[in-house]
Amino acid sequence: MNRRTFFVLLGVPGAGKGTQAKLLEERLGLPQVSTGDIFRYNLKNETALGILAKSYMDKGELVPDEVTIRMVEDRLTQSDVAKGAILDGFPRNLAQADAFDKIAAPYGGVSLVPLIHISDEEAMTRITGRRVCRSCGAVYHIDFNQPQRAGVCDLDGGELYQRDDDKPETVRNRLYVYYKQTSPLIGYYYAKGLLAELDGTRPIDQVQADLLDLLGAEEAVA
Ligand code: ADP
Ligand code: AMP
Ligand code: ZN
């Protein structure tokens, strides 16, 4: 089977995974696969998957592995991922990481796992100020990444909204879930020699440059 490039972005909620993945899509010619975005798309379209996912997302809990893994498997059968993907928000626990290793194995496995570091305080400031475009999913921040016109997406004029799960009470649980369930992936990928750590507190364009240095080199080798 052809080799594919799979980058797995790790970091607390708010670290900048989605922001960076969207910028990298064009630069690397690889699509972002965000499980959170796929759940929100299903929620918007009121599918059975969306309705199921909502009950977990509202509490900041993880959607069950069986559902999430099957959804990623489906997504990876689409033609735009023929060269690989930038995974954002998946895998999120060891069972998902193990499943993804098996999915990716025929294509040469996971290529690299950039871990974007920010503090919990920074995560809280970023998430509570995050605004998302209702139509295209572009991500803004009320202070750090403002749209040209308040409340309006620069790309398509869509309305910007605050995610229900971006309220402080839910964010606290999402951070807890991250430390309990997702952070073990740091050791898991480190042991495989795939972890690459980055300072996520720098401005968006500088984090992007650091990532491109890292991933561009990796791609050239692949
Ligand atoms: P994640 O996908 O990791 O949850 P996002 O990419 O959605 O994180 O970013 C969270 C919030 O922080 C958004 O409002 C985004 O505009 C903002 N943000 C992202 N990267 C930076 C950065 N380097 N500096 C300041 N704000 C940032
Ligand atoms: P995110 O957009 O990555 O912040 O994810 C938003 C919410 O979607 C999470 O709090 C979970 O409820 C759900 N979710 C996203 N990705 C996953 C995943 N890999 N496994 C389980 N639940 C997920
Ligand atoms: Zn938009």
Side-chain angles (χ1 to χ4, degrees):
M1 234 178 275
N2 287 338
R3 280 188 81 84
R4 295 187 185 184
T5 304
F6 289 117
F7 295 129
V8 171
L9 299 186
L10 276 188
V12 290
K17 301 180 296 296
T19 300
Q20 295 299 333
K22 285 188 172 72
L23 292 169
L24 285 172
E25 280 193 313
E26 241 180 85
R27 300 296 297 264
L28 298 178
L30 296 172
Q32 171 197 26
V33 170
S34 156
T35 40
D37 282 356
I38 304 174
F39 286 133
R40 278 183 290 279
Y41 176 83
N42 276 276
L43 193 56
K44 190 167 110 182
N45 292 293
E46 296 178 344
T47 68
L49 174 63
I51 292 159
L52 172 92
K54 182 175 164 42
S55 57
Y56 297 93
M57 293 169 84
D58 282 350
K59 290 181 283 190
E61 298 291 334
L62 296 187
V63 178
D65 290 341
E66 206 186 275
V67 174
T68 307
I69 293 165
R70 197 176 334 120
M71 182 176 88
V72 171
E73 274 175 324
D74 276 359
R75 178 68 185 85
L76 294 179
T77 62
Q78 290 169 10
S79 58
D80 64 326
V81 293
K83 283 170 57 189
I86 304 158
L87 289 136
D88 157 16
F90 180 89
R92 231 171 169 108
N93 61 26
L94 286 170
Q96 293 181 11
D98 191 49
F100 188 61
D101 274 350
K102 296 194 170 81
I103 295 170
Y107 308 105
V110 172
S111 310
L112 199 73
V113 181
L115 166 61
I116 308 176
H117 284 285
I118 64 166
S119 68
D120 291 359
E121 293 71 38
E122 181 70 18
M124 188 56 87
T125 311
R126 286 196 187 175
I127 297 183
T128 49
R130 171 160 59 189
R131 299 292 181 271
V132 183
C133 173
R134 223 178 260 292
S135 53
C136 75
V139 176
Y140 298 87
H141 190 280
I142 51 170
D143 297 314
F144 310 139
N145 186 20
Q146 298 175 335
Q148 276 159 17
R149 277 178 53 207
V152 181
C153 178
D154 293 345
L155 303 178
D156 59 4
E159 179 206 358
L160 303 187
Y161 77 104
Q162 181 172 32
R163 283 168 44 178
D164 279 346
D165 61 346
D166 279 355
K167 304 201 175 81
E169 320 80 80
T170 320
V171 175
R172 269 189 281 278
N173 192 44
R174 286 165 62 200
L175 285 168
Y176 176 75
V177 167
Y178 172 85
Y179 287 111
K180 206 162 160 93
Q181 301 199 46
T182 310
S183 68
L185 299 192
I186 298 171
Y188 178 85
Y189 287 120
Y190 176 81
K192 291 175 182 283
L194 291 172
L195 198 73
E197 305 191 52
L198 285 142
D199 178 4
T201 62
R202 285 149 55 79
I204 292 172
D205 57 340
Q206 290 180 30
V207 178
Q208 179 68 187
D210 291 347
L211 266 167
L212 276 170
D213 276 353
L214 226 122
L215 304 184
E218 192 66 24
E219 265 236 320
V221 174

